[in-house]
Amino acid sequence: MRGWQEFRGTSVVFATTGRAALGALAAAAALAATAVIGAAIADRAVSDWVEAVDRQATVIVRARVDETGTAAAARAAEVLAGVAGVEETQALDRATAEALVRPWTGEVELEDVPLPMLVTVELDAAAPASRISLGRALAEAGLDAEVDDDSVWRDQARRAAAGVRAAAAALSLIALAAALALAWALAAAAVAAGARDLTVLHQLGADPGLASRTALKAVLPSIVGAAGAGATVAALGAIAWRLLASGQGPAPGWGDPALALTVPAAIAAVATLSALRALRESLGADPGRG
């Protein structure tokens, strides 16, 4: 213990992590935090999209000889509005119908061409009306109409949504893994730089737990600080996006910036494990075991 008493007045010197390395870690943390926030935005956006598709149905109305297409569509919309499980209906006008078929007809004049009219139906999300009930109501009203419940589009929408979610999750995991790998390497390198002094301290009889505390105190602040700075940039960017979006298009929720905090927390945990592992390798024993 005499050796330790003489050594305790000195300081264990760790080589400071270079600014370039910390800057790279901050950039990696910002990218990872942005990816995590982006994954949350993508998940919410595709969920809203699938829900919107699930709540829609389209009715094709063919007018009788004694009525116009516009009148038939208006009558169909009125009939469907009274069906249980329907929230809203809208009969599309002639100009809208012409615009829908224009990509296939080119510059052909459509004024005298009989076109089926469309009625859009928004279904109740909790208890939507079925295709059968919609068709029965139209038939009872004497309307020549066909109900398309967009089931094909729903299946495609669900598959597309699953793909978007998987891609967003994969990108966020890759970005986070890169940041964690960099933090692991920096923590191990920092401990290795001070391993000689720590070994001397250990051999002089210092409390084994002191090596762990000394190493973590020297290594973690700079690494966690860089990660926190990067995550803060990502969080502020999400807040700015939210303010500028003004409800137009996909945007972060007010709680999404908090997701950025998961990145420095994960980096702190990984850096701690890396530092302790490097310390065990340097001392040849568990530094925290008395």
Side-chain angles (χ1 to χ4, degrees):
M1 291 298 294
R2 178 179 179 184
W4 161 238
Q5 294 293 336
E6 294 175 352
F7 187 85
R8 63 188 300 182
T10 65
S11 299
V12 177
V13 179
F14 284 83
T16 57
T17 304
R19 291 183 178 179
L22 292 177
L25 179 60
L31 180 61
T34 300
V36 170
I37 294 173
I41 297 172
D43 179 74
R44 186 165 51 250
V46 297
S47 295
D48 293 343
W49 176 48
V50 171
E51 181 181 353
V53 172
D54 284 343
R55 295 180 60 188
Q56 291 179 354
T58 305
V59 177
I60 303 172
V61 183
R62 289 173 286 272
R64 299 180 307 193
V65 177
D66 59 344
E67 68 178 344
T68 65
T70 302
R75 192 156 61 94
E78 183 178 358
V79 169
L80 294 173
V83 177
V86 174
E87 284 194 354
E88 183 179 355
T89 61
Q90 181 181 5
L92 304 184
D93 56 23
R94 170 79 185 192
T96 303
E98 290 183 1
L100 290 174
V101 300
R102 182 63 66 183
W104 290 272
T105 60
E107 299 302 325
V108 176
E109 293 294 334
L110 299 175
E111 293 182 2
D112 298 327
V113 177
L115 294 177
M117 303 301 291
L118 300 179
V119 176
T120 59
V121 182
E122 185 174 344
L123 305 175
D124 186 351
S130 67
R131 178 177 179 176
I132 295 176
S133 62
L134 295 177
R136 182 184 299 115
L138 292 168
E140 291 175 353
L143 286 159
D144 181 8
E146 180 181 349
V147 180
D148 181 1
D149 63 357
D150 298 334
S151 57
V152 175
W153 297 108
R154 291 176 186 176
D155 293 339
Q156 293 180 354
R158 291 190 181 96
R159 287 194 294 269
V164 170
R165 288 191 180 100
L171 288 175
S172 62
L173 288 176
I174 291 172
L176 182 59
L180 294 179
L182 182 56
W184 180 280
L186 291 180
V191 171
R196 180 178 178 181
D197 286 343
L198 286 172
T199 301
V200 172
L201 184 151
H202 184 65
Q203 291 175 346
L204 290 176
D207 178 9
L210 179 63
S212 298
R213 293 193 297 271
T214 302
L216 294 179
K217 184 178 180 180
V219 171
L220 289 184
S222 60
I223 291 178
V224 176
T232 299
V233 170
L236 292 176
I239 293 173
W241 182 3
R242 171 73 182 188
L243 293 175
L244 294 175
S246 300
Q248 301 297 323
W254 287 116
D256 288 347
L259 296 174
L261 299 177
T262 60
V263 174
I267 286 178
V270 166
T272 300
L273 293 175
S274 177
L276 293 177
R277 180 177 181 274
L279 193 58
R280 283 196 299 269
E281 292 179 352
S282 297
L283 301 182
D286 187 346
R289 184 180 299 168

